[in-house]
Amino acid sequence: MDYTKYFCGEDGYCLDYKKAAIAILPVPYDGTSTWIKGSDKGPAALIEASGTLEMLDIETGIDVSQKGIYTLAPIVEYQSPEKMSATVEKALAKLMDDGKFPVLVGGEHSVSIGAFNAMAKKHDDITFLQFDAHADLRQAYEGSEYNHACAMHKAQELAPIVQVGIRSMCEEESVYVNEEALFYRYRIRQQNDWQERVLKQLRQNVYVTIDLDVFDPSIMPSTGTPEPDGLLYHEVLSMVKKVANHCNIVGFDVVELCPNKQNKAPDFMAAKLIYQILSEIFK
């Protein structure tokens, strides 16, 4: 058996869909990225790296793999970003109907659009919480409303969004900014209470979308558009933990990993991020 195809590898995977509480959905799509290509290889690299994780999470004291983590076959849809988004939406809707906790693994950030649609239809009282270096608020980019640069504009059409770690945007995007719900990186550095401010912006149900370029390139260089002066691992994880303790996280995604064969550390970091978030949600 090729354990590299299953999240948590030989020690923690689950092959029985009916018994699994958690479903990992890989979407290796990289059709609209505009600089460094390779996020279509991100899901496979992340899942392979997850095979080296220790199953006991030290901070929560639990082995979340015992809840059952099932890895689905990748969604391979390259016809158009619109078609890919529709396929993701349908897949996420089925997972939720089956009672699974969904984790979407990209691919570029456009893969999240289908998840936003599915979540908004399932949950009335929802907020989309974004961790990202970029605002992704363009109405359209390079002729498509489903470009990775438009992901949060699409989300904002469905429900309130909260944006954390932003340090890059264009003038066009600034028109769509909600200043109370946008936490720029430079302001985070100046505010000791920024996490409490984030929590005040959230509704009861929260879907979390994490673009890995939210992290500083010193620890996460393997992204499509790395931006300097990013957040550190503990800053993102501690914020997600507080959200898990105060709200109902209904699903999340991790996107934009562009793996580098000469540096596996970012692959492992992305895998551990997923595992630690799951441990906090299911503790």
Side-chain angles (χ1 to χ4, degrees):
M1 180 181 292
D2 186 0
Y3 294 109
T4 64
K5 295 182 180 180
Y6 305 102
F7 191 82
C8 289
E10 184 175 2
D11 294 330
Y13 75 99
C14 174
L15 286 181
D16 191 338
Y17 178 78
K18 292 182 179 180
K19 293 182 179 179
I22 300 160
I24 306 290
L25 179 61
V27 188
Y29 183 81
D30 192 28
T32 75
S33 59
T34 49
W35 188 25
I36 301 173
K37 293 285 188 178
S39 63
D40 56 325
K41 298 177 177 61
L46 186 158
I47 290 170
E48 180 180 357
S50 74
T52 61
L53 289 167
E54 299 286 4
M55 295 300 97
L56 177 66
D57 179 68
I58 294 174
E59 294 187 38
T60 60
I62 70 166
D63 175 357
V64 73
S65 71
Q66 296 299 311
K67 299 292 184 180
I69 301 177
Y70 185 90
T71 306
L72 289 95
I75 288 180
V76 181
E77 175 55 69
Y78 299 123
Q79 183 175 339
S80 69
E82 292 85 353
K83 185 70 178 294
M84 177 274 298
S85 295
T87 305
V88 170
E89 178 181 348
K90 183 177 180 180
L92 262 290
K94 183 180 188 306
L95 290 177
M96 289 188 288
D97 287 344
D98 290 344
K100 310 302 179 188
F101 182 89
V103 180
L104 184 67
V105 181
E108 60 172 64
H109 211 168
S110 62
V111 306
S112 304
I113 296 173
F116 297 151
N117 290 333
M119 289 292 167
K121 290 177 180 177
K122 181 73 172 181
H123 304 282
D124 293 331
D125 191 23
I126 194 168
T127 309
F128 297 121
L129 174 59
Q130 172 201 15
F131 292 87
D132 205 322
H134 308 93
D136 290 349
L137 286 173
R138 285 178 168 89
Q139 186 173 13
Y141 192 61
E142 294 191 337
S144 175
E145 296 180 359
Y146 289 79
N147 189 283
H148 69 97
C150 309
M152 299 314 297
H153 192 282
K154 282 293 186 185
Q156 200 172 45
E157 292 175 344
L158 302 167
I161 66 172
V162 179
Q163 302 178 282
V164 175
I166 307 301
R167 50 197 191 275
S168 179
M169 73 168 65
C170 70
E171 185 175 358
E172 173 193 343
E173 293 173 284
S174 65
V175 178
Y176 303 107
V177 164
N178 177 359
E179 288 290 345
E180 290 187 358
L182 196 154
F183 295 82
Y184 294 102
R185 171 56 173 148
Y186 81 93
R187 289 183 182 171
I188 286 174
R189 196 184 302 106
Q190 300 167 356
Q191 297 172 342
N192 293 328
D193 64 342
W194 70 272
Q195 293 188 333
E196 286 68 30
R197 289 171 179 252
V198 170
L199 292 177
K200 289 179 180 179
Q201 296 294 324
L202 301 176
R203 293 179 171 182
Q204 180 57 35
N205 294 314
V206 177
Y207 179 84
V208 181
T209 178
I210 302 175
D211 185 327
L212 291 170
D213 65 25
V214 72
F215 293 104
D216 192 81
S218 63
I219 61 171
M220 178 51 69
S222 301
T223 65
T225 314
E227 287 277 351
D229 193 28
L231 297 179
L232 297 179
Y233 188 85
H234 76 275
E235 291 178 295
V236 173
L237 187 60
S238 65
M239 183 70 254
V240 176
K241 287 179 177 180
K242 288 188 177 182
V243 175
N245 288 332
H246 287 80
C247 305
N248 177 34
I249 297 180
V250 294
F252 67 92
D253 63 57
V254 173
V255 301
E256 296 281 358
L257 176 66
C258 293
N260 181 340
K261 292 181 179 180
Q262 280 69 50
N263 184 6
K264 298 282 190 178
D267 306 352
F268 181 83
M269 176 179 151
K272 183 148 190 173
L273 179 66
I274 289 175
Y275 196 76
Q276 287 198 275
I277 292 174
L278 287 172
S279 298
E280 193 67 30
I281 292 171
F282 283 86
K283 68 183 179 181

